[in-house]
Amino acid sequence: MLEKENKLAEQIKKTFHSAEVKVMREKRISVQLRSNLIPPFLSYAKELLDFKHLAHMSCVDWLEDNEFELVFILWNYDEQIQIISKTRIPRDKAEFVSLKKFWIQAETYEREIHEMYGVDFEGNNRLGEFILEDWEGMPPMRRDFDTRKYSRETYFQRPGREDAKDVRETITKHSGEEVPDFAKNYTIRQ
Amino acid sequence: MREKETTLYLGPQHPGITGNMMVKLKVAGDTIVKAETHIGYLHRAFEKLMEQRTWTQSFPIVCRICVPEPDPNEENLARAIEEIEGREVPERAKYIRVIVLELARLASYQLWMGGQSGSMGLYTMPQWTVGDRDYILDLFEELTGGRVYHMYIWAGGVRRDLPEGFADKVLKVMDYLESRLPDYDRLLFENALFHKRAKGVGVIPKEKAIEWGVVGAPLRGCGIKHDVRIDEPYEVYDKLDFVVPTHEGGDVWSRAMVRRQEIEQSISIIRQAIEKMPGGDYYNKIPNPLTWRVPKGEAYVKTESARGEFGYYVVSDGSEKPRRVHVRGPAYVHGISLLEEVLKGANIADVSFIMNSLGTCPPEMER
């Protein structure tokens, strides 16, 4: 069990000494690296380890750490192993290099991450308006983007809905039946 | 003399476009020199919304990411949560999930046959296939209460057991759909017009397919035999007997032939799943959904949808809400970077035809 995963983890560790390599489970390896080592690592994984398929590229906002985590998910069709490689970059200096020279589709992921989180990818000349239109201000997927405030300032309430009434009141008024408030005993963290 | 280049905007309002998107074409005569995909017409901030909903409240959101085939989204979110939490799923629920996923694949292929034919002016096919798809939607309605969006697969299993007599109804619909295949063949797959239009059009070079992120039928249409159901079997696909069809050529024709054969495979999978399905529980109940915390962790799970690998990257910070849900639909690659490459040198009249063949689907590109 996990023989090929452990072997691959060893191989990566030998080449990239500072990498934190973890076998997560069968067919899954996670590799954490410093940001400047990600491009050489991805190139190495693609060309020498045969991880040709860039399955996904993502960004997670760790606001409490003041960092963005960039995630690159690769798949090796022959060995059938997945690598989740990750790195963290500072939120206030959100810059990375473009990977479109390795995979043409990386350009699309970078365009989205740039628009939604404000990460700049050096070498990608298509960063700019992609999904959003005439967007100004904080990129909306950042954790500190206040959706409620944005919606209050951008949209208006339909006449008669200004007071955001509890629907239970209306139902009770029309049907005469009490509607229990199942959620009142629980508080969902905002 | 070099022909003058003109800019042509195909969509967002065009009968041949595959949803709310636009392709900006630079053309010289009838030939496309450059293509640029433009999206942003139906962004609904689903991923942001989910960060402010509980885990269970996210299920009615994810199914809306794909209209023709919503179930892989529910499957992915459920499986990601189960992987992070280590939650077991009852065997019966796994079989039911396979039946639902394959029914969704068949319904999606019915729409694809209609779209593919419609984009070359063969309008009888959509009349037939959209009608036949309704028999599958009837089944979904009885099972889940919803025809298009089901919200049926969720963490821990499925929402309810099969109603009495439901399996027989499914088998009856399978018999009917199988009996329709010769009609589909005569009208579309063996049609000389389709052969002429589809062969050598929209070619994906085999040596570039994997590197360009091509998945699903377009990948198998390049002669490359990969399918998530085989490569990394989920639910009970490893207990069922089916083949993964491939075709050489990488063109619209090859992709069509792969899908045509997959219809037969899906029918067979559903029959086997019904036959082998055990009794017992269908749901491993989660705690109170309003206070349920999924432990810290992350998972990338994938499902083989009708259009290829559908992936979800899900992160939990240990709270009642997802920290991050990032969706990777096949169209995210097929409809943008791949489409822009494949359209170079194509004829204007083939744009919709190629888009249908690649399964471009804007809701999963921008969510």
Side-chain angles (χ1 to χ4, degrees):
Chain A
M1 273 301 262
L2 303 179
E3 200 179 313
K4 66 177 178 184
E5 290 82 359
N6 286 325
K7 204 172 143 196
L8 180 65
E10 276 299 307
Q11 198 176 342
I12 293 171
K13 195 87 187 107
K14 263 186 203 161
T15 317
F16 292 85
H17 303 292
S18 62
E20 277 178 46
V21 189
K22 208 169 78 184
V23 175
M24 298 163 79
R25 65 168 172 87
E26 196 192 353
K27 298 187 180 191
R28 291 283 186 281
I29 291 179
S30 104
V31 180
Q32 184 100 30
L33 279 158
R34 284 203 313 271
S35 64
N36 60 337
L37 288 176
I38 283 284
F41 170 73
L42 294 177
S43 167
Y44 163 78
K46 184 187 173 201
E47 304 301 338
L48 296 172
L49 303 179
D50 226 16
F51 282 79
K52 295 269 190 258
H53 177 46
L54 175 71
H56 201 23
M57 190 170 151
S58 189
C59 180
V60 186
D61 185 358
W62 295 102
L63 181 62
E64 56 274 47
D65 303 334
N66 201 26
E67 286 175 331
F68 287 128
E69 188 165 59
L70 295 178
V71 183
F72 309 88
I73 300 173
L74 309 179
W75 175 253
N76 181 327
Y77 275 112
D78 297 325
E79 291 294 321
Q80 300 193 345
I81 296 186
Q82 179 182 292
I83 292 179
I84 298 187
S85 51
K86 295 187 287 187
T87 192
R88 289 207 175 194
I89 55 171
R91 279 177 107 248
D92 40 20
K93 198 172 179 290
E95 292 166 359
F96 202 69
V97 289
S98 173
L99 298 173
K100 69 176 203 178
K101 55 181 179 287
F102 303 145
W103 291 281
I104 57 166
Q105 66 273 28
E107 181 185 81
T108 313
Y109 290 102
E110 290 165 4
R111 289 169 75 189
E112 185 180 335
I113 293 171
H114 170 77
E115 190 169 47
M116 296 295 176
Y117 289 92
V119 179
D120 279 323
F121 289 90
E122 193 194 326
N124 187 334
N125 53 8
R126 284 181 84 180
L127 301 178
E129 202 170 84
F130 180 42
I131 291 170
L132 307 172
E133 196 177 2
D134 299 331
W135 188 266
E136 284 173 357
M138 185 186 286
M141 281 297 284
R142 288 191 176 210
R143 297 285 288 187
D144 45 354
F145 176 77
D146 188 339
T147 44
R148 201 178 290 263
K149 182 167 167 271
Y150 173 80
S151 119
R152 258 201 307 264
E153 287 170 0
T154 314
Y155 307 108
F156 59 89
Q157 296 280 353
R158 278 165 58 195
R161 298 282 179 89
E162 295 88 348
D163 53 358
K165 269 186 185 165
D166 188 337
V167 287
R168 289 178 198 84
E169 283 176 29
T170 316
I171 297 170
T172 308
K173 199 172 129 193
H174 287 291
S175 68
E177 282 178 33
E178 278 294 314
V179 182
D181 185 356
F182 294 109
K184 73 178 171 195
N185 296 329
Y186 307 102
T187 316
I188 297 170
R189 206 174 61 191
Q190 290 297 318
Chain B
M1 197 182 88
R2 200 163 169 236
E3 266 186 281
K4 193 184 158 209
E5 284 183 6
T6 313
T7 305
L8 188 69
Y9 295 88
L10 194 93
Q13 309 242 11
H14 184 278
I17 210 88
T18 56
N20 309 44
M21 63 182 282
M22 188 252 280
V23 191
K24 185 179 168 190
L25 304 167
K26 201 153 265 181
V27 295
D30 280 351
T31 308
I32 295 158
V33 180
K34 191 181 172 202
E36 254 179 46
T37 299
H38 286 256
I39 55 170
Y41 300 97
L42 78 161
H43 174 63
R44 289 163 288 178
F46 282 162
E47 290 170 1
K48 185 77 179 175
L49 268 175
M50 280 188 268
E51 292 178 13
Q52 298 171 39
R53 299 282 189 277
T54 64
W55 291 93
T56 302
Q57 283 171 342
S58 297
F59 281 92
I61 295 177
V62 291
C63 54
R64 285 163 171 84
I65 289 170
C66 181
V67 185
E69 198 191 10
D71 305 271
N73 291 282
E74 299 175 15
E75 165 75 11
N76 274 336
L77 184 60
R79 211 141 37 80
I81 296 171
E82 286 152 11
E83 184 173 326
I84 296 171
E85 209 198 5
R87 179 169 293 275
E88 288 292 322
V89 177
E91 192 74 356
R92 182 173 175 80
K94 290 181 181 176
Y95 276 91
I96 296 177
R97 283 180 176 184
V98 166
I99 294 169
V100 167
L101 290 169
E102 293 304 319
L103 282 173
R105 187 187 318 280
L106 285 172
S108 177
Y109 279 161
Q110 299 281 349
L111 277 188
W112 161 75
M113 284 189 281
Q116 191 71 78
S117 316
S119 61
M120 62 174 199
L122 182 63
Y123 295 123
T124 312
M125 198 69 183
Q127 312 278 356
W128 285 4
T129 56
V130 171
D132 288 344
R133 172 177 170 260
D134 254 35
Y135 292 113
I136 302 175
L137 301 193
D138 288 344
L139 294 174
F140 277 131
E141 188 178 3
E142 185 176 345
L143 180 65
T144 70
R147 292 179 74 77
V148 176
Y149 300 127
H150 310 133
M151 291 154 273
Y152 178 69
I153 296 172
W154 63 1
V158 294
R159 197 150 46 88
R160 63 172 71 116
D161 204 352
L162 301 186
E164 213 174 308
F166 184 76
D168 291 335
K169 285 181 192 166
V170 174
L171 291 173
K172 220 166 146 186
V173 172
M174 291 306 107
D175 291 345
Y176 170 74
L177 291 180
E178 197 173 45
S179 75
R180 290 289 276 156
L181 292 177
D183 296 335
Y184 299 160
D185 286 343
R186 276 196 293 275
L187 187 57
L188 175 65
F189 297 101
E190 292 169 4
N191 188 326
L193 174 75
F194 182 57
H195 281 228
K196 209 161 185 183
R197 281 293 303 271
K199 281 190 174 165
V201 170
V203 177
I204 301 169
K206 185 175 182 175
E207 65 284 359
K208 287 281 177 194
I210 287 181
E211 196 179 313
W212 283 1
V214 181
V215 291
L219 183 66
R220 295 188 284 277
C222 294
I224 302 171
K225 195 175 179 172
H226 287 302
D227 185 311
V228 183
R229 292 172 296 174
I230 299 285
D231 293 345
E232 202 178 15
Y234 47 96
E235 306 304 355
V236 287
Y237 279 107
D238 51 348
K239 295 176 186 166
L240 302 169
D241 188 23
F242 63 100
V243 293
V244 176
T246 57
H247 269 265
E248 293 291 337
D251 53 7
V252 174
W253 166 254
S254 316
R255 298 194 274 276
M257 291 318 289
V258 167
R259 290 183 177 117
R260 163 66 184 80
Q261 286 171 283
E262 283 181 2
I263 293 175
E264 288 174 55
Q265 295 303 316
S266 288
I267 292 174
S268 159
I269 291 172
I270 291 171
R271 284 179 178 146
Q272 291 176 56
I274 288 176
E275 194 191 321
K276 292 182 179 174
M277 185 168 50
D281 283 345
Y282 59 90
Y283 178 38
N284 176 6
K285 201 170 183 307
I286 58 162
N288 184 327
L290 294 169
T291 54
W292 178 37
R293 288 163 181 262
V294 171
K296 245 182 174 174
E298 61 176 342
Y300 176 75
V301 294
K302 50 190 179 178
T303 296
E304 185 71 28
S305 74
R307 280 163 299 110
E309 175 184 333
F310 218 119
Y312 266 51
Y313 178 62
V314 178
V315 181
S316 172
D317 55 11
S319 70
E320 306 94 334
K321 301 171 191 169
R323 179 72 188 216
R324 178 83 166 107
V325 179
H326 194 178
V327 179
R328 180 251 194 252
Y332 193 77
V333 171
H334 290 183
I336 305 177
S337 52
L338 178 67
L339 184 68
E340 290 174 354
E341 284 294 328
V342 170
L343 285 185
K344 280 179 201 161
N347 191 294
I348 300 171
D350 288 332
V351 177
S352 309
F353 197 54
I354 294 171
M355 286 174 75
N356 269 288
S357 163
L358 294 177
T360 54
C361 180
E364 68 191 42
M365 293 184 212
E366 48 189 287
R367 287 99 53 212

